[in-house]
Amino acid sequence: SVSFLTSHAMNVSEPSDLTIDETGTILWTVSNNPDSVYQVDLSGSKTKSLSYAGQDLEGVAYDRSDHTLWVAEENLREIVHLDLGGGVLSRNALSLTGEQNSGLEGICFNDAGSMFVLNEKRPGLFLPLDASHSIASSVTLTFAGDYSGIAYDPPSASFWIVSDQSQRLYLWNPAGGVRKEWSLPFTKAEGVAIDLAAHRIYMESDSENRLYV
């Protein structure tokens, strides 16, 4: 089951997406006001600002294999590989087209190191990437109004997906569809990060600038 524990004010404006490191003590988030990447603690306080300046940042994923970050540029349809100082290691354009502000929104890794991204809407898409960070396949999503964050769930080989418009959290499997869903007690849900060891789910509200646990 999922139950609300607490929330914390964040000193990050319009936070979008979340990812957590292997220690379970460091969260990373992005904002497009301004377009920056931030390290935050488990109470939502900003502890570091990276040097990278994006154009419409909406997604972030921590890569445990080499301790780096990947961010998603929504309107450019690019994923960008960063070191933990914000230096650009590579840029990868995805073969996607669509409306402005309806593009890349979430990004995550599974335990095998494979990368997955979400296209927010029109259409909602779940996109596994190959080793060269190109789109390997595409699954159209229809269970929510939009798709604003994603995290991998190793025990069930499924994905946690949060929807801003539907104000819900889903546990979804590419083969079996939605396994469970929960209504969220806040608006503008953006991003989801999972700490399995602590049995915690972290999400944030873009409009409230709050971290929910």
Side-chain angles (χ1 to χ4, degrees):
S1 63
V2 172
S3 57
F4 171 73
L5 296 180
T6 188
S7 70
H8 307 283
M10 299 181 71
N11 55 349
V12 174
S13 178
E14 298 181 21
S16 181
D17 210 10
L18 274 174
T19 189
I20 194 166
D21 79 344
E22 64 270 51
T23 71
T25 62
I26 294 174
L27 294 165
W28 297 89
T29 189
V30 293
S31 169
N32 57 13
N33 184 28
D35 280 285
S36 298
V37 185
Y38 304 100
Q39 178 183 299
V40 298
D41 64 22
L42 300 185
S43 296
S45 295
K46 179 171 57 182
T47 55
K48 183 179 180 180
S49 301
L50 272 59
S51 61
Y52 180 73
Q55 295 190 41
D56 190 22
L57 285 172
E58 290 291 346
V60 60
Y62 177 78
D63 189 343
R64 299 184 179 195
S65 69
D66 59 3
H67 312 292
T68 58
L69 295 169
W70 291 81
V71 296
E73 293 275 10
E74 181 176 25
N75 290 332
L76 293 176
R77 269 71 175 184
E78 286 186 350
I79 55 171
V80 185
H81 194 192
L82 304 176
D83 63 33
L84 295 187
V88 175
L89 303 174
S90 69
R91 303 188 73 99
N92 303 266
L94 301 183
S95 55
L96 283 173
T97 58
E99 300 176 16
Q100 295 288 292
N101 301 315
S102 297
L104 300 181
E105 192 77 13
I107 182 170
C108 75
F109 290 92
N110 66 9
D111 278 1
S114 298
M115 187 186 297
F116 306 86
V117 297
L118 286 177
N119 196 73
E120 181 187 14
K121 57 187 177 182
R122 300 193 187 98
L125 298 171
F126 171 78
L127 303 166
L129 304 187
D130 61 24
S132 66
H133 305 112
S134 297
I135 296 172
S137 60
S138 175
V139 178
T140 300
L141 303 177
T142 59
F143 56 83
D146 70 348
Y147 309 89
S148 54
I150 186 170
Y152 182 66
D153 185 72
S156 65
S158 300
F159 295 85
W160 297 91
I161 294 177
V162 67
S163 171
D164 161 10
Q165 292 185 5
S166 297
Q167 202 172 326
R168 299 184 76 81
L169 173 68
Y170 303 87
L171 184 62
W172 174 83
N173 184 276
V178 174
R179 301 178 51 150
K180 297 179 181 179
E181 60 182 280
W182 297 266
S183 178
L184 298 176
F186 59 94
T187 60
K188 292 291 287 180
E190 294 272 351
V192 56
I194 308 297
D195 182 351
L196 290 174
H199 304 288
R200 294 290 184 269
I201 301 174
Y202 298 93
M203 290 171 283
E204 56 197 358
S205 168
D206 174 285
S207 57
E208 298 174 8
N209 300 336
R210 293 192 72 84
L211 178 70
Y212 284 83
V213 187

